[in-house]
Amino acid sequence: MKKIINTTKAPAPIGPYNQAVKIGDTLYTSGQIALDPETMELVLESIEAETSQVMENMKAVLEAAEMTFENVVKSTIFIMDMNDFARINSVYGSYFDEKTAPARETVQVAGLPKGVNVEISMIAVKE
């Protein structure tokens, strides 16, 4: 049976979706952007600050499902400009142990919600 995961520690959905859905031991997250969950304002001072906010939002969603980044098996990163990849990757990588980091793809896109530069979604499994 599917369980809906929502937390006030991550931004409220801005459309007809939930922050995450858990089926058995597998968690499927919606994409997170750099919305501050308290103010619902975008954090866009730098690509590093933006990516950090995205990852903190994702951390909150994982925690709401009683998981951590150690449980993540797959990530998808959508970015507006591949020239930002190294800086996004640096922040993203700081949340994982490189030896056990998840599978991932990074895709440059033509547009993202609210004009942000990065969006990240994840799949996590609780063993």
Side-chain angles (χ1 to χ4, degrees):
M1 180 184 294
K2 80 177 179 181
K3 178 181 178 184
I4 303 302
I5 304 296
N6 280 307
T7 177
T8 58
K9 294 179 180 178
I14 55 175
Y17 61 91
N18 287 290
Q19 293 167 336
V21 175
K22 189 174 179 189
I23 305 277
D25 292 331
T26 304
L27 182 73
Y28 300 89
T29 73
S30 292
Q32 286 292 319
I33 61 174
L35 283 170
D36 180 312
E38 291 181 19
T39 65
M40 290 301 284
E41 296 292 324
L42 289 169
V43 176
L44 301 174
E45 297 86 49
S46 67
I47 194 65
E48 291 86 357
E50 185 174 352
T51 305
S52 181
Q53 184 64 57
V54 170
M55 294 301 286
E56 288 299 313
N57 292 344
M58 190 59 70
K59 180 180 178 181
V61 172
L62 290 167
E63 287 175 350
E66 300 179 346
M67 294 189 189
T68 70
F69 287 110
E70 287 292 316
N71 297 102
V72 176
V73 296
K74 180 75 166 38
S75 295
T76 303
I77 302 176
F78 302 98
I79 62 177
M80 288 294 296
D81 185 347
M82 200 56 81
N83 292 317
D84 289 331
F85 175 78
R87 296 183 321 172
I88 292 167
N89 192 53
S90 178
V91 174
Y92 169 91
S94 71
Y95 285 82
F96 294 98
D97 176 345
E98 197 169 317
K99 294 176 192 166
T100 59
R104 179 186 80 189
E105 68 258 336
T106 303
V107 182
Q108 181 172 322
V109 296
L112 288 168
K114 295 192 170 279
V116 299
N117 299 297
V118 60
E119 179 175 3
I120 300 174
S121 65
M122 296 181 178
I123 299 171
V125 177
K126 192 164 192 175
E127 298 180 67

